[in-house]
Amino acid sequence: MTDARGSAGPHGAEQARYVPGTPCWVSLMVHAVTATQDFYGALFGWEFRPGPQQLGPYVRALLGGQEVAGIGQLPPDHHLPVAWTPYLASDDVDATAEAVRMCGGTVGVGPLDVADAGRLAIGSDPSGAVFGIWQAAAHLGTTVAGVPGMPTWNELLTYESARTAKFYESVFGYAREAEVSADVDHVTLCLDGRPVAGIQGMGTGLPRDRGPHWNTYFEVADLGEALERVEELGGRVLVPAGDSRQGRVATVADPEGARFSLLCGSR
């Protein structure tokens, strides 16, 4: 995830707020929280502590004491695919949620307060891809950057990039950089001239069992070792290692089927 934050506090002592529209947090809702903690703890070296309980059992993952991501418990009757969800920063989640609706998306959860941590909503774009909106209070978002085990990039996989990009531009104010290629349908979303996320148009190549969805990339120091570890821990390699715009990358799934990418050498 590209680090697009505002100015730091005095002497850099406080974490800076994320620029609105920047991916600021990722969260995973699963059926077996403890087993999922074991998987990601062994893969990334995460430790965990309890988080806000408004949406049920929820823990925050830590790297060196710094918050990285969240893992929560799905309701027993939830049958949708287990997936990582990026949260996009907002200064006014209610206004952003209304903009989502006005631009053809939907809001399925919230806006609602999460104790003193902040205020959130969960919505989907017109193609059905799910994302979160986060208005920070005590919890600003991911507090570590540039180390293995952190979320480093988010990319939307959808049918076609241009129409979908218009939705995100209208709601979050992104500028768009399209890749000029007859073979690649890709758009980079930018804030203040900095890339913060991507949209990949896949047409009929989009997995039928997932539909349009956001994919989170996690930084690793050694991609080969990380892939071996995924399989040892009960996960699967879905797309073998290869070169990408961000670096050497592979796509994997955890034991519950949540897909994510491992990246070595981020932008």
Side-chain angles (χ1 to χ4, degrees), residues 11-193:
H11 311 296
E14 298 180 2
Q15 182 197 354
R17 297 183 70 87
Y18 281 89
V19 173
T22 307
C24 62
W25 187 247
V26 290
S27 190
L28 176 63
M29 304 299 288
V30 299
H31 298 286
V33 173
T34 300
T36 301
Q37 288 179 235
D38 291 342
F39 174 84
Y40 287 100
L43 180 61
F44 293 137
W46 291 353
E47 298 178 337
F48 300 91
R49 69 181 176 202
Q53 303 296 304
Q54 275 84 349
L55 300 179
Y58 189 85
V59 295
R60 288 177 179 162
L62 309 176
L63 267 177
Q66 300 298 307
E67 294 179 342
V68 173
I71 298 174
Q73 178 77 52
L74 281 169
D77 58 350
H78 185 99
H79 302 297
L80 294 175
V82 175
W84 281 100
T85 300
Y87 281 73
L88 309 177
S90 172
D91 285 341
D92 185 337
V93 69
D94 294 79
T96 302
E98 183 60 24
V100 167
R101 297 187 187 97
M102 293 293 291
C103 294
T106 60
V107 177
V109 177
L112 56 85
D113 291 325
V114 184
D116 63 348
R119 188 166 172 80
L120 69 75
I122 299 175
S124 58
D125 66 28
S127 71
V130 176
F131 60 92
I133 308 165
W134 182 251
Q135 180 181 336
H139 175 67
L140 298 183
T142 301
T143 57
V144 62
V147 298
M150 64 160 286
T152 190
W153 185 250
N154 291 278
E155 188 132 319
L156 173 60
L157 307 182
T158 189
Y159 297 111
E160 182 268 332
S161 69
R163 183 178 302 177
T164 304
K166 289 180 181 178
F167 167 82
Y168 288 95
E169 290 169 346
S170 298
V171 175
F172 294 101
Y174 299 123
R176 182 196 316 186
E177 291 183 1
E179 184 167 331
V180 181
S181 171
D183 302 320
V184 177
D185 177 15
H186 186 269
V187 167
T188 300
L189 302 176
C190 299
L191 290 169
D192 299 330

Side-chain angles (χ1 to χ4, degrees), residues 196-251:
V196 296
I199 299 178
Q200 176 74 57
M202 301 183 68
T204 57
L206 195 68
R208 293 182 179 180
D209 62 334
R210 306 297 287 190
H213 63 280
W214 281 91
N215 181 44
T216 297
Y217 290 65
F218 293 90
E219 182 76 21
V220 294
D222 186 310
L223 184 56
E225 289 184 3
L227 292 177
E228 291 180 4
R229 193 70 172 136
V230 165
E231 293 184 316
E232 290 171 357
L233 294 167
R236 294 177 294 137
V237 177
L238 303 177
V239 180
D243 294 325
S244 74
R245 301 168 191 84
Q246 293 82 26
R248 192 79 172 158
V249 66
T251 301

